[in-house]
Amino acid sequence: MTSISANLQAVRRRVAAAARAAGRTPEDVALIAVSKTQPAQRVAEAAHAGQRLFGENYVREGVAKAVELHALQLEWHFIGPLQSNKTRPVAAHFHWVHSVDRLKLAERLSEQRGDDLPPLNVCIQVNVGGEASKSGVAPDEVPAFAAAVAKLPRLALRGLMCIPEAGGDEALLRARFATLRQLRDRLNDAGIALDTLSMGMSDDLELAIAEGATMVRVGTAIFGARNVREEQT
């Protein structure tokens, strides 16, 4: 058994145990393998171990992998910050974008999504901690923003995403995840039907699942420490 295969099995066990502890079924939580900086060969190795959903942060790198591994029929999630002038290849090659935080960005994705493709699934990134250094819509601005995004053609607004403060304690992290869940519930009550909460990573996925995560984004626990290099978009 390869290390990636073994790591995937270990993460799946963690997800399943956390879901059951929260009174949910393991199938309620989708695992996104965050493959940024990982070569296509390692993504293929994870795919052969049964992983289908992969998350990428950098446009050129993610598109290159999606093209190279097209025959594997993987599902590609863009999860990093996205510049408005880089939306066209993302709209063409990805199935999901988790980091929508500006109306201009959503409009460009909508305009550039091909008519021959299914709607692009999108999540609104919410800055649940109010961090000046972090992207995302302020929680009190989410309802109006969601209403605007939901009207755009060729997009399917599916849910909300967050990245809480690094190094937060358990109580703080649970509060941040709960904020996202409560926002989702408010939007559902207002008639904007959402089914996705993208939250939780290698170190805190159990807390996120306890608060209702439907997608967790895990890189290090699957692929090991990522390669240190200059980040690119």
Side-chain angles (χ1 to χ4, degrees), residues 82-93 104-117 120 153-155:
L82 181 57
Q83 300 173 18
S84 296
N85 63 352
K86 300 285 183 68
T87 52
R88 188 174 298 278
V90 171
H93 293 282
K104 179 182 179 182
L105 183 66
E107 289 171 341
R108 288 179 66 88
L109 289 168
S110 172
E111 293 164 0
Q112 294 166 351
R113 184 69 168 178
D115 289 331
D116 58 326
L117 297 173
L120 178 64
R154 293 179 292 279
L155 297 185

Side-chain angles (χ1 to χ4, degrees), residues 49-176:
Q51 180 64 28
R52 311 313 300 168
L53 280 59
F54 290 88
E56 291 285 333
N57 288 60
Y58 312 126
V59 176
R60 283 181 295 170
E61 178 187 329
V63 169
K65 290 178 197 172
V67 171
E68 181 176 348
L69 301 174
H70 177 74
L72 295 179
Q73 297 184 319
L74 305 176
E75 184 174 290
W76 294 96
H77 294 242
F78 192 84
I79 60 176
L82 181 57
Q83 300 173 18
S84 296
N85 63 352
K86 300 285 183 68
T87 52
R88 188 174 298 278
V90 171
H93 293 282
F94 281 80
H95 302 88
W96 286 72
V97 176
H98 292 233
S99 49
V100 173
D101 61 354
R102 308 179 307 284
L103 187 56
K104 179 182 179 182
L105 183 66
E107 289 171 341
R108 288 179 66 88
L109 289 168
S110 172
E111 293 164 0
Q112 294 166 351
R113 184 69 168 178
D115 289 331
D116 58 326
L117 297 173
L120 178 64
N121 298 297
V122 299
C123 292
I124 294 170
Q125 182 171 350
V126 182
N127 190 344
V128 289
E131 296 176 85
S133 61
K134 194 164 287 180
S135 301
V137 180
D140 60 354
E141 296 176 358
V142 169
F145 183 68
V149 173
K151 295 176 183 177
L152 294 173
R154 293 179 292 279
L155 297 185
L157 178 58
R158 296 290 300 274
L160 307 175
M161 183 271 265
C162 73
I163 307 173
E165 300 94 319
D169 62 26
E170 179 173 327
L172 176 63
L173 291 172
R174 287 199 65 149
R176 299 306 191 213

Side-chain angles (χ1 to χ4, degrees), residues 6 12-13 20 22 26 29 33 43 46 48 56-57 63 65 102 113 131-132 134 143 150 158 183-184 219 223 225 232:
R12 288 171 183 149
R13 287 194 294 268
R20 294 190 183 101
V29 186
V43 175
H48 292 313
E56 291 285 333
N57 288 60
V63 169
K65 290 178 197 172
R102 308 179 307 284
R113 184 69 168 178
E131 296 176 85
K134 194 164 287 180
R158 296 290 300 274
L183 273 172
R184 189 274 316 272
F223 293 105
Q232 63 173 353

